[in-house]
């Protein structure tokens, strides 16, 4: 558990242009036999990063990148499609990412990412194209004002589910929030057939 | 009063606390299905915080994803792919014991793929909310249930409080007009919808499938259709309950019986969408124009009729997919040689799927050099298939008949293709490497998969079905 709160993130981007990057690419299923959520960064995009002998591939945007200064992943449309595995945001977070920007992020991935300190940011097509064509750009993602800023004066707004935003900004714990609903849940249960 | 949809009714019945601009709704869950892969970290959170499973009576566990499909060796040892896979299974067994959760473990006659056993035990019922840490939970929507996949954090929420925090999604209705031609199955309908609206076309929506061709489907067909909703990006897929639903459920172990059954029927009949109910989006598909479908790319929306030619790629994405799949542009799909065939998964591993495949394979031989794997969805499906002699048909044709599980759909139990293999698969995802590193997956119906095993190439199943008794 436990992740860094997000308020303002200023970092460089890693760009993966491909559309429909599914959760099997983000973390192949053979890494899902773990019973822990720790240490999955090594498995992130494993088959994109390493060849069959386990040697790093030069073609991968993630190899040789300094994770500490590249905390923002910019990806093609429909990022995170596929399975419900929360191992996908766990792996990206552990690798060092704190935000994913796309024009369109899959529902379950988005929901999982928000619970794990990885901010999913859906921007308009024009901003998306701009970011895709500028790998390594320094980008500011501001959760408070829900804006993305980069370049001389490029600015775009993004939507975040308000409760998830509060959790990320103020450290509200969703399970704690549910535990506080105990009276309503008990009442519902006793009225239930 | 405003006319309500099935989805509106299912939603309203389960709202514990209304959603506000600040907070999502608190939604009560009637059935929580858990399996070994997405539950261990949720139980860890429970243990760390000193919480118990609130409603073990509404929680059911099964083992399916990382379990072997080959039998135990002479020492009774199951051939797990790795020690870690075995440890994960043992973790769920221990967690279920500690928390008093009913588990259908190895050797239990009720064990099987989570989305196969819920319905077949009668646990899946109209009007219920059903969740599981698995994106194909939408399968259960076939019964007129609100069923959706959740992440592991949410699995923890449901274990602790039997509720999820969820905002009401938008609604979409997909209407299949007309009747499907012979040889066209629910799988082909599913692939046609995904091709039509795109792999993200259902994102943010709860989808109701309706129309004459959906009403004509068996329950198993409806499950196949709802199962694939997530491949169009929709977490929720559903079909209104009707006589087909009730007949399928009646008499099942965990379905209501006696007076409770009559009361349930009365209630379930109030669920279907009312005339004039509004949807945020409507899609119409002409079922009579459909053909058996296959996928030719690395996303499920790259689907086309099996008798078509491979489209020449025009975009960067399509070129990337074409490079991986190595289908020659403007040449018939049916020219492509097949290395393996997989018949199974939560999409297509039920008795009717196996009957369909066996109908094609009966008295024929799997082409030399092709490995065909048939994996029943559950112990119950296996028993029923063996009682009918379907196992013998598969074995005589040269296919393998395995133990139930997810197997090559997710390929995390050791069942996988070899690099470069072209696999015709009845599963749900053709993602790069999904069925093994470098494996090229072609999604298809059980009939198309079986026909491809016989031909040794991607094959149109219709000639095979004409010779037997059709679908």
């Amino acid at each position: 558990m436990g992740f860094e709160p997000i308020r303002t993130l200023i970092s460089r981007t890693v760009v993966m242009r491909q559309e429909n990057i599914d959760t099997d690419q983000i973390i192949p299923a053979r890494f899902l036999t773990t019973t822990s959520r720790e240490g999955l960064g090594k498995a992130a995009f494993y088959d994109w990063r390493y060849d069959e002998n386990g040697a790093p591939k030069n073609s991968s945007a993630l190899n040789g990148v300094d994770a500490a200064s590249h905390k923002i992943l910019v990806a093609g449309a429909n990022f995170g499609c596929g399975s419900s595995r929360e191992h996908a945001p766990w792996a990206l977070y552990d690798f060092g990412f704190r935000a994913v920007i796309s024009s369109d992020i899959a529902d379950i991935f988005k929901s999982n990412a928000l619970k794990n300190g990885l901010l999913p940011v859906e921007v308009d097509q024009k901003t998306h194209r701009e970011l895709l064509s500028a790998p390594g750009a320094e980008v500011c993602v501001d959760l408070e004002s829900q804006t993305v800023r980069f370049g001389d004066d490029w600015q775009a707004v993004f939507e975040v589910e308000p409760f998830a935003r509060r959790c990320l900004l103020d450290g509200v714990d969703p399970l704690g929030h549910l535990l506080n609903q105990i009276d309503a849940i008990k009442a519902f249960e006793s009225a239930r057939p | 009063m405003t006319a309500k949809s099935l989805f509106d009714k299912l939603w309203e019945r389960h709202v514990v606390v209304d959603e506000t601009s600040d907070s999502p709704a608190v939604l009560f869950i009637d059935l929580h299905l858990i399996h070994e892969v997405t539950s261990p970290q949720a139980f860890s959170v429970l243990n760390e915080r000193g919480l118990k499973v609130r409603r073990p009576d509404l929680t059911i566990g099964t083992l399916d994803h990382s379990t072997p499909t080959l039998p135990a060796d002479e020492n009774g040892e199951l051939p797990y792919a790795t020690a870690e896979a075995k440890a994960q299974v043992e973790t769920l067994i221990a967690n279920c014991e500690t928390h008093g959760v009913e588990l259908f473990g190895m050797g239990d006659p009720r064990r099987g793929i989570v989305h196969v056993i819920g319905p077949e035990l009668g646990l899946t019922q109209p009007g219920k909310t059903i969740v599981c840490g698995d994106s194909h939970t939408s399968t259960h929507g076939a019964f007129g249930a609100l069923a959706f996949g959740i992440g592991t954090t949410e699995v923890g929420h449901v274990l602790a409080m039997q509720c999820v925090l969820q905002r009401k999604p938008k609604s979409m209705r997909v209407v299949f007009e007309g009747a499907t031609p012979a040889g066209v199955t629910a799988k082909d309908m599913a692939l046609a919808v995904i091709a039509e609206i795109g792999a993200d076309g259902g994102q943010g929506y709860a989808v109701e499938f309706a129309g004459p061709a959906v009403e004509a489907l068996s329950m198993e067909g409806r499950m196949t259709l709802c199962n694939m909703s997530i491949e169009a990006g929709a977490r929720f897929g559903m079909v209104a309950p009707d006589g087909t639903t009730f007949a399928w459920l009646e008499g099942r172990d965990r379905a209501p019986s006696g007076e409770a059954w009559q009361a349930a029927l009365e209630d379930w009949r109030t669920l279907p969408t009312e005339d004039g109910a509004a949807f945020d989006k409507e899609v119409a598909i002409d079922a009579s124009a459909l053909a058996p479908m296959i996928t030719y790319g690395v996303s499920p929306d790259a689907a086309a009729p099996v008798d078509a030619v491979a489209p020449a790629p025009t975009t960067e994405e399509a070129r990337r997919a074409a490079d991986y799949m190595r289908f020659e542009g403007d040449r018939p799909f049916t020219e492509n040689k097949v290395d393996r065939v997989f018949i199974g998964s939560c999409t297509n591993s039920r008795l009717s799927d196996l009957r369909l495949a066996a109908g094609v394979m009966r008295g024929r031989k799997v082409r030399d050099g092709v490995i065909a794997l048939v994996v029943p969805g559950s112990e119950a499906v296996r028993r029923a298939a063996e009682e009918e002699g379907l196992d013998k048909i598969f074995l005589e044709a040269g296919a393998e008949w395995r133990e139930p599980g997810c197997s090559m759909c997710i390929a995390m139990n050791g069942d996988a293709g070899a690099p470069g293999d072209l696999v015709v698969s009845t599963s749900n995802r053709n993602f790069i490497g999904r069925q093994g590193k470098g494996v090229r997956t072609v999604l298809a119906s059980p009939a198309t998969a079986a026909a491809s095993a016989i031909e040794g190439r991607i094959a149109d199943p219709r000639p095979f079905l004409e010779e037997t008794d059709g679908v």
Side-chain angles (χ1 to χ4, degrees):
Chain A
M1 288 295 279
F3 47 78
E4 300 163 14
I6 302 177
R7 214 157 264 275
T8 306
L9 174 65
I10 300 171
S11 191
R12 295 195 178 277
T13 62
V14 173
V15 170
M16 294 183 168
R17 299 183 56 82
Q18 292 89 337
E19 291 173 12
N20 302 318
I21 294 178
D22 58 77
T23 52
D24 279 272
Q25 309 313 310
I26 300 170
I27 178 165
R30 63 183 183 280
F31 295 106
L32 306 185
T33 51
T34 177
T35 55
S36 161
R37 63 175 72 197
E38 310 297 333
L40 289 172
K42 65 180 187 310
F45 285 102
Y46 192 91
D47 292 339
W48 291 27
R49 287 159 65 198
Y50 302 102
D51 67 16
E52 53 274 23
N53 303 316
K57 292 181 187 174
N58 291 329
S59 57
S60 170
L62 292 179
N63 286 335
V65 80
D66 170 30
S69 60
H70 292 73
K71 295 181 178 176
I72 301 172
L73 177 60
V74 176
N78 199 25
F79 183 81
C81 59
S83 89
S84 64
R85 63 188 71 162
E86 203 159 313
H87 312 67
W90 293 337
L92 294 178
Y93 185 92
D94 191 50
F95 185 87
F97 289 117
R98 296 295 177 265
V100 179
I101 306 179
S102 179
S103 55
D104 166 12
I105 299 176
D107 283 344
I108 307 182
F109 177 87
K110 192 159 49 186
S111 161
N112 286 338
L114 285 166
K115 294 179 179 69
N116 289 283
L118 180 71
L119 184 63
V121 180
E122 290 174 312
V123 293
D124 60 275
Q125 301 281 353
K126 208 170 159 202
T127 301
H128 189 223
R129 274 198 301 276
E130 211 52 45
L131 285 168
L132 282 175
S133 62
E138 187 169 270
V139 172
C140 171
V141 178
D142 188 282
L143 180 56
E144 200 112 43
S145 61
Q146 296 180 218
T147 53
V148 171
R149 294 190 295 273
F150 61 96
D152 289 339
D153 55 359
W154 197 288
Q155 183 162 327
V157 294
F158 63 92
E159 296 291 322
V160 188
E161 196 282 305
F163 179 75
R165 178 170 173 272
R166 215 146 43 88
C167 291
L168 288 170
L169 281 175
D170 306 335
V172 174
D173 164 37
L175 179 52
H177 174 81
L178 260 182
L179 292 169
N180 288 335
Q181 312 295 321
I182 183 68
D183 292 340
I185 294 170
K186 277 185 176 165
F188 186 92
E189 282 178 324
S190 56
R192 192 174 162 267
Chain B
M1 231 174 74
T2 328
K4 286 178 182 168
S5 67
L6 165 64
F7 170 58
D8 292 331
K9 297 179 204 184
L10 293 171
W11 184 268
E12 281 171 14
R13 285 178 171 212
H14 294 89
V15 173
V16 176
V17 180
D18 284 323
E19 81 178 65
T20 65
S21 56
D22 281 345
S23 305
V26 175
L27 204 64
F28 191 80
I29 301 304
D30 295 315
L31 175 63
H32 186 198
L33 301 166
I34 58 175
H35 62 78
E36 72 275 22
V37 177
T38 56
S39 66
Q41 297 87 348
F43 278 108
S44 299
V45 169
L46 237 61
N47 296 339
E48 282 159 22
R49 296 175 71 147
L51 297 167
K52 290 185 183 145
V53 174
R54 180 170 181 79
R55 297 297 300 267
D57 59 321
L58 302 180
T59 313
I60 293 280
T62 188
L63 300 169
D64 53 7
H65 280 67
S66 49
T67 54
T69 58
L70 288 168
D73 66 16
E74 61 271 23
N75 303 318
E77 286 290 319
L78 286 165
Y80 283 97
T82 60
E84 213 180 26
K86 187 180 177 201
Q88 191 175 55
V89 162
E90 285 165 352
T91 301
L92 182 58
I93 295 170
N95 281 328
C96 286
E97 264 171 26
T98 305
H99 291 273
V101 171
E102 187 175 20
L103 172 70
F104 303 139
M106 301 309 287
D108 191 302
R110 298 162 296 183
R111 190 187 68 84
I113 303 175
V114 64
H115 310 309
V116 176
I117 65 163
E120 82 189 1
L121 287 166
L123 286 161
T124 301
Q125 293 164 19
K128 279 191 177 181
T129 39
I130 302 173
V131 295
C132 175
D134 191 291
S135 61
H136 293 109
T137 308
S138 55
T139 310
H140 307 262
F143 291 80
L146 188 66
F148 54 106
I150 56 177
T152 295
T153 299
E154 291 173 306
V155 170
H157 294 175
V158 183
L159 289 174
M161 297 305 282
Q162 202 57 31
C163 289
V164 290
L165 293 165
Q166 176 72 43
R167 284 190 187 274
K168 190 178 180 188
K170 292 180 286 183
S171 61
M172 182 191 301
R173 179 161 58 184
V174 175
V175 178
F176 283 90
E177 300 290 2
T180 49
V184 173
T185 68
K187 181 62 161 289
D188 305 304
M189 291 165 72
L191 289 172
V193 178
I194 300 162
E196 172 76 22
I197 69 175
D200 58 356
Q203 212 170 92
Y205 288 96
V207 177
E208 179 177 349
F209 297 101
V214 173
E215 288 163 27
L217 286 175
S218 68
M219 279 321 296
E220 305 197 342
R222 294 178 191 184
M223 285 187 249
T224 300
L225 184 59
C226 290
N227 172 279
M228 296 285 285
S229 310
I230 188 65
E231 310 317 330
R235 281 174 88 173
F236 310 78
M238 65 198 80
V239 173
D242 62 9
T244 303
T245 320
F246 309 146
W248 200 89
L249 274 174
E250 191 170 11
R252 290 191 184 261
D253 272 4
R254 308 288 174 101
S257 59
E259 274 177 39
W261 172 256
Q262 290 307 324
L265 279 185
E266 216 165 288
D267 177 45
W268 294 345
R269 288 195 179 108
T270 68
L271 286 171
T273 295
E274 293 157 17
D275 285 343
F279 288 84
D280 296 301
K281 188 174 177 180
E282 298 247 22
V283 175
I285 291 180
D286 178 5
S288 67
L290 297 180
M293 302 283 286
I294 57 150
T295 61
Y296 56 87
V298 296
S299 172
D301 55 356
V306 65
D307 56 0
V309 296
T314 53
T315 64
E316 188 185 323
E317 288 307 315
R319 262 190 296 279
R320 182 173 75 101
D323 285 349
Y324 186 78
M325 292 303 291
R326 308 203 306 266
F327 285 178
E328 207 177 320
D330 295 324
R331 303 295 308 168
F333 290 125
T334 50
E335 286 183 356
N336 291 285
K337 205 174 146 290
V338 168
D339 300 293
R340 280 174 210 253
V341 166
F342 171 62
I343 297 169
S345 87
C346 60
T347 313
N348 278 129
S349 65
R350 298 178 182 84
L351 187 60
S352 62
D353 298 314
L354 302 186
R355 282 180 183 153
L356 185 56
V360 170
M361 287 197 185
R362 182 181 286 116
R364 299 192 173 97
K365 291 283 179 200
V366 171
R367 181 66 57 128
D368 275 350
V370 176
I371 298 170
L373 210 62
V374 186
V375 184
S378 69
E379 293 287 355
V381 169
R382 176 165 74 140
R383 280 192 304 277
E386 290 178 356
E387 272 166 32
E388 290 184 16
L390 302 185
D391 57 326
K392 290 198 181 61
I393 295 172
F394 293 126
L395 290 167
E396 277 163 19
E400 293 179 44
W401 176 245
R402 294 287 188 93
E403 309 275 329
C406 300
S407 182
M408 254 187 90
C409 172
I410 187 164
M412 62 181 292
N413 74 330
D415 298 343
D421 274 0
L422 188 71
V423 179
V424 178
S425 177
T426 67
S427 57
N428 39 58
R429 292 188 171 135
N430 54 354
F431 300 155
I432 290 175
R434 169 90 176 176
Q435 297 193 293
K437 266 193 203 177
V439 170
R440 303 173 294 147
T441 298
V442 171
L443 302 177
S445 76
T448 304
S452 302
I454 302 299
E455 290 283 310
R457 292 174 188 277
I458 293 173
D460 189 329
R462 288 171 290 195
F464 291 86
L465 296 167
E466 279 158 19
E467 287 169 38
T468 58
D469 293 326
V471 181

